[in-house]
């Protein structure tokens, strides 16, 4: 029996937050671009057409927005780990990956980014 795995991709979520440890970074919000990939077994969701059997990506996105915009972070690692934890909060999720990029953080580079991922033991 085939059991497809759904792959949700929240793509290029553009937010502003306080991130960094330099004085200017502590005083001024900066742009961040967030990408998240969330996997879960989809068969119950499409068999029943019941939202309770699916991962609610809108709720996850709203939580990511609120957490990013309402907190301060010294490191990309902290923000990325927090967002990964939000993505893994649903028991349906089997795997998640989050990338957070800071555009123009490095001279001559489009951005610098950090990616973290997690897998739920089955």
């Amino acid at each position: 029996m085939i059991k497809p795995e759904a792959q949700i991709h929240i793509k290029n979520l553009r937010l502003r937050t306080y991130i960094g440890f330099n004085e200017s970074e502590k005083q001024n919000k900066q742009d961040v671009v967030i990408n998240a990939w969330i996997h879960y077994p989809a068969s119950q969701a499409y068999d029943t057409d019941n939202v309770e059997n699916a991962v609610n990506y809108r709720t996850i996105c709203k939580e990511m927005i609120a957490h990013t915009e309402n907190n301060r972070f010294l490191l990309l690692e902290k923000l990325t780990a927090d967002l990964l934890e939000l993505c893994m909060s649903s028991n349906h999720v089997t795997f998640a990956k989050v990338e957070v990029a800071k555009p123009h953080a490095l001279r001559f580079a489009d951005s610098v980014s950090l990616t973290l991922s997690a897998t739920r033991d089955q």
Side-chain angles (χ1 to χ4, degrees):
M1 177 178 217
I2 298 172
K3 294 190 177 193
E5 180 108 330
Q7 297 179 14
I8 297 167
H9 183 191
I10 298 170
K11 192 174 196 174
N12 296 330
L13 178 62
R14 297 175 193 282
L15 304 174
R16 293 183 59 73
T17 193
Y18 294 100
I19 186 158
F21 47 85
N22 296 328
E23 276 311 307
S24 65
E25 293 173 318
K26 290 180 181 180
Q27 300 300 319
N28 302 298
K29 282 189 171 186
Q30 296 180 70
D31 294 329
V32 291
V33 180
I34 299 165
N35 282 280
W37 295 263
I38 302 164
H39 296 195
Y40 75 100
S43 58
Q44 274 193 317
Y46 65 70
D47 281 345
T48 63
D49 201 24
N50 183 339
V51 69
E52 297 299 319
N53 295 324
V55 172
N56 190 329
Y57 54 82
R58 185 173 186 203
T59 299
I60 292 171
C61 190
K62 283 182 174 184
E63 291 171 349
M64 292 172 79
I65 292 168
H67 186 78
T68 302
E69 292 184 339
N70 297 326
N71 289 286
R72 292 176 176 260
F73 308 92
L74 294 177
L75 300 173
L76 275 173
E77 288 84 347
K78 174 62 174 157
L79 173 56
T80 308
D82 288 356
L83 297 177
L84 180 61
E85 188 174 321
L86 289 174
C87 290
M88 292 295 294
S89 64
S90 169
N91 289 334
H92 294 302
V93 174
T94 56
F95 170 84
K97 178 171 76 170
V98 175
E99 175 191 46
V100 178
K102 283 176 62 174
H104 314 295
L106 295 174
R107 196 169 167 197
F108 306 120
D110 291 340
S111 69
V112 62
S113 69
L114 181 93
T115 304
L116 293 173
S117 62
T119 304
R120 186 178 315 284
D121 294 331
Q122 299 285 348

